[in-house]
Amino acid sequence: MTDLKSIVDSVYHDLSDRIGEGKLADYIPELATVDPKQFGIALVTTDGKLYSAGDAETAFSIQSISKVFTLTLALGKIGDGLWKRVGREPSGNAFNSIVQLEQEKGKPRNPFINAGAIAVADVVLAGHAPKEAIGEIVQFIRQLADDDTIAIDHNVARSETNTGYRNVALANFMRSFSNLNHPAEHVLGVYFHHCAVAMSCHQLAHAGLYLASGGRNPLSGGSVVSPSRARRINALMLMCGHYDGSGDFAYRVGLPGKSGVGGGILAIAPDKASIAVWSPGLNENGNSQLGSAALELLAQRTGWSVFGQ
Ligand code: GLU
């Protein structure tokens, strides 16, 4: 029987002298003000046991990890119709790249690069005012985490709204290819706000449990998505969840994962646990440097991997 408590404690302990490594996502001014010397791990098993270490209860900007939740919502709204608008292939490009989008006529490679998530936000927006769509996303995340205190960090949302020029370009570019049905500023309002949701590792690991449990929330017993949809979202996380570092993450960790430039990573060990790690310093691909190292050690020590031991 794996002793998860000592594994989580040892991973934290073995990396603690590296806390502060990496570079903050200073292209979003508000994220440049975060204290880089923070590191948290939370692991929630499918039978609801929590193992955590470090700053596991400190809320941080989940950024692109929110794209897992908006993808889940968009698939619930239009099902496989989503794949007419967004692909399912790794991009091999930076998260905010525009080059591929021109070559592929406004259809983003996958729902986790910025362009893809903006198209997904457009789907979630259908039939709503932007405020309602943002409310629906936050409510969905609260329900998954079983925690009504989860909220948007409005300073981060404002900071990105004021400086997200590349995302404005991506959105308008897609609109020119008729792959956006709403005004770019409305879609980006939804996108910037869901990226600015603040959560702790503990809350995030709890929210990801449905992906570790065949689409059901194992604690409430409620169904979030079908087992096949959960499996497919995990597949997308594995192939596309770390941008142009996705191959390396699969090689080192071997679990589906989604990172965000706030320094968080959500990883899923199917039928075992949902794991969230956070440390704000990023590597050259925009993925948490210490968070990636923590998941690599954790996967080694638990023996968890979708590829076998
Ligand atoms: N809100 C960020 C952006 O659009 C998300 C990027 C990320 O977390 O990877 O640039």
Side-chain angles (χ1 to χ4, degrees), residues 27-28 62-65 67 95-96 112 114 160 167 191-192 195 243 258-262 286:
Y27 76 97
I28 299 175
I62 66 168
Q63 290 296 319
S64 282
I65 304 171
K67 296 172 183 174
F95 64 96
N96 55 7
F112 294 147
N114 286 9
E160 225 186 324
N167 289 321
Y191 173 79
F192 289 141
C195 285
Y243 312 115
K258 181 74 203 86
S259 75
V261 294

Side-chain angles (χ1 to χ4, degrees), residues 186-209:
H186 289 189
V187 183
L188 289 170
V190 175
Y191 173 79
F192 289 141
H193 281 81
H194 74 65
C195 285
V197 168
M199 292 170 83
S200 67
C201 289
H202 179 179
Q203 290 167 327
L204 198 53
H206 193 138
L209 268 183

